[in-house]
Amino acid sequence: MSTSTSGGAATAAVDGDGAENRSGRPNAPASGTAGAAAGLEAAAWRALGEVLDPELDQPVTDLGFVAACEVVDGEVRVELRLPTYFCAPNFAYLMVADAREALAAVAPGPVRVRLLDHFASEEINAGVAVGDGFDAAFPGLAAGELDDLRATFLRKAHAAYQQQIAARLLKAGRTHAELVRLRLGELAEDTTRLRRRRRQLGLPSDDSAPLLVDDQGGPVDAESLPLRLRFARTTQVSIEGNAGWCRGLLGTRYGDIH
Amino acid sequence: MYSKDGENYFIVDSHIHFWDGTPANQANRYGEGFLNCFYDYHRNLSPQSEVWSLEHFQKQSEQDLLHDLFEAGYVDKAIFQPTYLTDFFVNGFNTTEQDGALAERHPDKFIVNGSWDPRDGEAGMAALERLAERWQLKGVKLYTAEWKGRSKGWKLTDDWSYRYLEKCQELGIRNIHIHKGPTIYPLNRDAFDVADVDDVATAFPDLRFVVEHVGLPRLEDFCWIATQEPNVYGGLAVAMPFIHSRPRYFAQIIGELLYWLDENRITFASDYAIWTPKWLVEKFVDFQIPEDMQDEYGVLTPDVKRKILGLNAARLYDIEVPEGMGLPAPDVPASRTPVASETNREAMTP
């Protein structure tokens, strides 16, 4: 029922960042709840922690987008909410579809994901439930699926991760010429997230892969590196700024959540 | 005009509205959602003392607007940017006609911009001619995310858009303000993508393309285009109010803009009535890039602030700047040299 084809950038943007969740769960199971339901609910929450906002590159659980997550009569029911009524419908669809997919992987029974308070809630909820893809959910208004869109934002996140690591190394005294020769396996830095984005983009991610590659996975020369890093820095400012703005608006819309 | 510490600042508010977002004018749940979304923007980024009731936010009187901008807000000249949204609001949200009625009564205070939509075809072209003649238009505001029946938006590179841009050139409308929004056809594309601005800026070197909200939420894409297209400008509406709640992020936005563009292509805007200019002007004049960020971004001088607050927009709209309110120094960029577009192209082309 996946909305995406297999392989490359089209795979669902799941992340191992769930462990970093700082936000409280909206409704932790009460003590004494039947063990199975409580266990499934915890598993569902963990699964949602792997679902990213593709634009903000952060888990939906961390962003406060999960309004409810519960198990009722064996069915996993999740409600998602967004910072504004007019959040872009394509990103909203990706999150609902990814959430459904992540939950289906851990739930033995039925799964229901609903997006609340959005101008296109109805189309998105119905479309994801049927599983025919984005194009079918918005007949006549879309021209294909969301794989390219997802890939665009994975590339932005990937560039930002590379820049972060490169900036730290430069600060520690490395030169641009050394940086372009470095391999992932030679780094003391944690490259987990960088490698995951690489895999999602179909770019080399093993120990022998260069630390720095361009969007197509090709090598980067030392001469163009400063400008490339400078632009990636701007991309990072943009991503972080957007995430802060979205958190703020969500708090304003639903009452302070953090 | 605003004066502080012996410095004078000529103020042009480049992006204001005189809107009607009352329930009576909301055509449907989309109109209600749109207004409430704005209200959340207002509540989230305004200082507590500046937060209005929803009712007051829905519609301001003529007297409110005059007070907020000119009596309290230090504004010398304000530019109306229309937002029709006729699919959401019965009589339109903020039309040239509504704005114009106010401008007629206070001709020295306002500049009225028009608007067009390529989906209106020939009829829209005739309407633009009438509008241009009626208001001596120097600018238009385009909203690519505007819904029109089944259509959920358009691109600057659409065939009819090119024809309208040619018409603008012909009519002497040189300032093309662009607002990107959450929907566009096809819906599977990023509606905030500014790539179409790049194309038309190259095709129409005599027009100026002012990207509203400095491309937010795609600041990096906007900077990338603006560094290569000398006729692309950034309007600070929506970016300005971060100065209060997230000053470090605001410093980053301004710093990035000064790095990729220069201080001659950035214009101040309150986005009234989402925010009011008084506190924005005061805070901007007091603002400095935090010390730990100055290595990366440099500092803001009074001259840079003067340009951003009014002199840049005055240049775009031929607004007369009173004696002694211009730049004391010759008009050269005080920041570091912007990155040359040729270098960027060479470096980034695979």
Side-chain angles (χ1 to χ4, degrees):
Chain A
M1 86 116 262
S2 159
T3 57
S4 52
T5 52
S6 61
T11 53
V14 294
D15 204 68
D17 304 345
E20 296 175 19
N21 285 352
R22 291 181 302 276
S23 59
R25 300 182 40 181
N27 44 6
S31 58
T33 312
L40 181 52
E41 213 167 287
W45 185 257
R46 276 196 304 276
L48 290 172
E50 305 276 309
V51 176
L52 295 185
D53 178 314
E55 186 180 8
L56 307 180
D57 197 48
Q58 291 181 22
V60 292
T61 44
D62 203 8
L63 289 161
F65 292 178
V66 182
C69 169
E70 55 185 353
V71 176
V72 181
D73 302 331
E75 181 182 51
V76 179
R77 294 182 186 172
V78 165
E79 290 180 336
L80 298 179
R81 62 186 184 184
L82 294 173
T84 75
Y85 183 73
F86 275 107
C87 283
N90 40 27
F91 293 111
Y93 185 95
L94 280 173
M95 284 184 268
V96 176
D98 289 353
R100 192 190 156 85
E101 201 171 330
L103 292 165
V106 298
V111 166
R112 191 181 68 174
V113 182
R114 288 177 62 245
L115 174 64
L116 310 174
D117 311 330
H118 187 273
F119 83 83
S121 287
E122 213 172 302
E123 294 92 330
I124 290 170
N125 292 336
V128 170
V130 174
D132 283 344
F134 184 76
D135 207 350
F138 293 94
L141 292 174
E145 293 304 311
L146 303 177
D147 303 343
D148 289 350
L149 185 79
R150 196 199 289 281
T152 297
F153 286 85
L154 278 172
R155 276 195 291 271
K156 286 177 190 277
H158 170 252
Y161 285 148
Q162 282 193 162
Q163 191 275 333
Q164 280 171 316
I165 294 174
R168 281 198 290 271
L169 293 169
L170 288 168
K171 219 175 184 149
R174 298 273 198 157
T175 64
H176 288 98
E178 286 172 339
L179 243 51
V180 297
R181 287 197 300 270
L182 274 178
R183 310 271 156 193
L184 287 178
E186 298 172 301
L187 294 169
E189 302 267 344
D190 179 9
T191 55
T192 318
R193 293 203 302 185
L194 178 68
R195 290 183 197 231
R196 191 174 297 114
R197 294 289 176 279
R198 289 254 178 114
R199 281 196 297 274
Q200 288 165 333
L201 285 162
L203 301 178
S205 61
D206 57 300
D207 276 357
S208 67
L211 160 66
L212 300 168
V213 296
D214 65 18
D215 284 348
Q216 288 72 41
V220 174
D221 62 84
E223 205 184 351
S224 72
L225 185 58
L227 179 65
R228 188 178 291 278
L229 292 177
R230 187 64 193 74
F231 185 65
R233 168 88 184 106
T234 308
T235 305
Q236 203 190 329
V237 166
S238 195
I239 295 172
E240 283 173 4
N242 293 343
W245 176 224
C246 289
R247 284 172 191 273
L249 284 173
L250 191 83
T252 298
R253 193 179 187 196
Y254 290 107
D256 269 327
I257 44 170
H258 293 296
Chain B
M1 169 178 143
Y2 181 65
S3 302
K4 187 160 186 192
D5 301 332
E7 303 279 1
N8 295 329
Y9 302 87
F10 181 73
I11 312 292
V12 179
D13 194 337
S14 294
H15 195 126
I16 66 151
H17 315 87
F18 185 47
W19 68 46
D20 180 359
T22 54
N25 195 34
Q26 292 167 6
N28 44 40
R29 65 185 173 96
Y30 302 115
E32 182 190 10
F34 189 87
L35 192 282
N36 290 345
C37 185
F38 271 18
Y39 187 53
D40 282 351
Y41 283 16
H42 164 81
R43 288 193 297 160
N44 181 249
L45 293 185
S46 297
Q48 208 46 48
S49 62
E50 307 297 323
V51 175
W52 294 347
S53 68
L54 176 62
E55 195 181 9
H56 184 63
F57 188 82
Q58 285 167 344
K59 187 171 173 45
Q60 300 75 45
S61 70
E62 179 171 338
Q63 205 41 56
D64 289 332
L65 183 142
L66 294 171
H67 172 269
D68 292 337
L69 295 181
F70 304 103
E71 290 167 24
Y74 315 112
V75 174
D76 293 289
K77 194 72 93 168
I79 303 175
F80 278 124
Q81 306 286 5
T83 323
Y84 279 64
L85 294 172
T86 39
D87 274 26
F88 294 178
F89 295 93
V90 179
N91 303 313
F93 184 56
N94 155 66
T95 65
T96 299
E97 292 74 13
Q98 291 159 4
D99 296 342
L102 212 66
E104 276 187 311
R105 289 194 286 275
H106 311 278
D108 57 330
K109 289 190 160 35
F110 299 104
I111 288 172
V112 176
N113 275 1
S115 184
W116 49 258
D117 185 321
R119 295 165 298 187
D120 293 340
E122 292 288 359
M125 202 83 91
L128 175 64
E129 283 187 359
R130 286 194 300 273
L131 218 52
E133 188 176 357
R134 173 71 190 77
W135 300 106
Q136 284 85 58
L137 294 184
K138 287 190 175 170
V140 286
K141 159 86 185 298
L142 310 177
Y143 187 47
T144 56
E146 176 127 14
W147 292 13
K148 208 175 262 296
R150 285 282 295 154
S151 167
K152 297 289 180 266
W154 55 279
K155 274 210 223 18
L156 289 159
T157 44
D158 293 350
D159 287 348
W160 270 99
S161 169
Y162 271 92
R163 294 176 66 173
Y164 275 86
L165 288 167
E166 279 161 12
K167 176 62 72 179
C168 282
Q169 202 152 261
E170 202 181 296
L171 295 167
I173 302 170
R174 292 190 62 195
N175 302 305
I176 314 294
H177 295 254
I178 298 145
H179 173 115
K180 292 278 168 176
T183 60
I184 193 165
Y185 179 81
L187 284 183
N188 45 304
R189 297 274 176 256
D190 178 21
F192 299 105
D193 185 357
V194 283
D196 55 344
V197 179
D198 201 359
D199 294 336
V200 292
T202 304
F204 296 93
D206 293 339
L207 299 179
R208 297 108 160 205
F209 294 89
V210 186
V211 177
E212 292 301 335
H213 323 306
V214 292
L216 295 176
R218 305 281 174 266
L219 179 67
E220 76 282 22
D221 294 342
F222 166 72
C223 287
W224 188 246
I225 285 168
T227 201
Q228 299 178 56
E229 306 290 346
N231 56 333
V232 168
Y233 293 69
L236 284 172
V238 178
M240 276 313 302
F242 287 113
I243 200 169
H244 165 69
S245 54
R246 296 172 60 206
R248 291 183 66 84
Y249 176 50
F250 180 76
Q252 285 178 316
I253 294 175
I254 293 289
E256 293 291 335
L257 292 171
L258 290 174
Y259 176 79
W260 292 103
L261 290 70
D262 56 67
E263 71 261 29
N264 298 309
R265 290 192 280 150
I266 309 170
T267 57
F268 168 79
S270 68
D271 220 338
Y272 187 87
I274 308 185
W275 299 281
T276 50
K278 181 178 190 290
W279 65 272
L280 294 171
V281 170
E282 290 171 353
K283 281 182 188 286
F284 186 64
V285 166
D286 288 344
F287 186 79
Q288 191 48 271
I289 305 282
E291 217 161 297
D292 63 306
M293 297 165 96
Q294 290 180 1
D295 277 353
E296 192 175 10
Y297 293 132
V299 295
L300 295 179
T301 63
D303 278 358
V304 170
K305 291 176 185 175
R306 249 188 292 277
K307 288 178 176 187
I308 292 174
L309 282 171
L311 300 183
N312 290 341
R315 201 175 64 248
L316 294 180
Y317 280 88
D318 304 318
I319 299 166
E320 199 180 329
V321 178
E323 193 67 36
M325 295 293 292
L327 285 181
D331 196 344
V332 292
S335 68
R336 77 182 96 180
T337 318
V339 178
S341 57
E342 295 76 24
T343 322
N344 288 346
R345 272 192 217 279
E346 267 170 42
M348 299 293 278
T349 312

